[in-house]
Amino acid sequence: MAQGMRFGLVCSRFNEFITSSLLQGAKDALFRLGVTEQDILEVMVPGALEIPQAVRALAQTGYCDAIVALGAVIRGDTAHFDVVVNQSASGLSAVESEYSVIVANAILTTDTIEQAIDRSGAKAGNKGYEAAMVAVEMVDLFRKIRAYGKLD
Ligand code: INI
């Protein structure tokens, strides 16, 4: 289904024990759907606040059909939790609308480390995997919509 699609994966190192699982989950999903390693551009950034900057830079290249953002913001870790959460989410939306590129958001925002563990492959699935699946579905959908347009 996803052969020939190209993806950017932007992953933050902050809380790396969580984000590395999200990144692996995203890659597992893409490989499962037929994406090859050569069609995945992997970029690491320090923290969730830097994710939108790297997503923007990738979008500017025009290389990717979709970009998956992977990070973990845990309330217990930071007094500026709300700043990191809000700025990373609004930064992603801004890039998405400015460049018309699909951006799937797998930046976890949790109150506790346990919740983050659950969402990165334990009890509550792997949000990286899920976001990559969503990205593929949206690329496929947009291709179909564009194809309808050509029929008019
Ligand atoms: N970055 C995260 O990705 N997760 C966090 O939980 C976090 N906390 O706790 O502060 C965090 N902070 C760093 C931030 O993303 C930036 O890297 C930093 O502020 C420099 O711009």
Side-chain angles (χ1 to χ4, degrees), residues 92-152:
L92 290 184
S93 304
V95 178
E96 201 166 21
S97 38
E98 202 174 321
Y99 290 94
S100 296
V101 65
I102 294 156
V103 179
N105 185 349
I107 303 178
L108 300 182
T109 57
T110 65
D111 287 328
T112 65
I113 289 172
E114 290 70 29
Q115 289 168 343
I117 291 169
D118 285 348
R119 291 167 202 184
S120 58
K123 287 186 203 145
N126 183 314
K127 299 301 168 195
Y129 185 97
E130 290 169 21
M133 286 285 189
V134 166
V136 170
E137 182 178 338
M138 292 304 288
V139 172
D140 186 55
L141 177 67
F142 274 43
R143 285 182 176 178
K144 286 181 179 141
I145 291 171
R146 286 197 193 101
Y148 288 135
K150 284 187 191 136
L151 295 175
D152 294 340

Side-chain angles (χ1 to χ4, degrees), residues 18-66:
I18 300 290
T19 62
S20 56
S21 299
L22 296 173
L23 179 62
Q24 192 54 55
K27 289 201 259 188
D28 288 346
L30 296 180
F31 292 148
R32 190 173 179 159
L33 294 176
V35 179
T36 60
E37 200 143 13
Q38 298 93 287
D39 287 329
I40 299 174
L41 234 171
E42 201 179 305
V43 175
M44 300 300 293
V45 294
L49 270 185
E50 286 71 40
I51 292 175
Q53 299 166 21
V55 169
R56 178 178 294 274
L58 273 184
Q60 282 167 345
T61 68
Y63 173 85
C64 304
D65 294 299

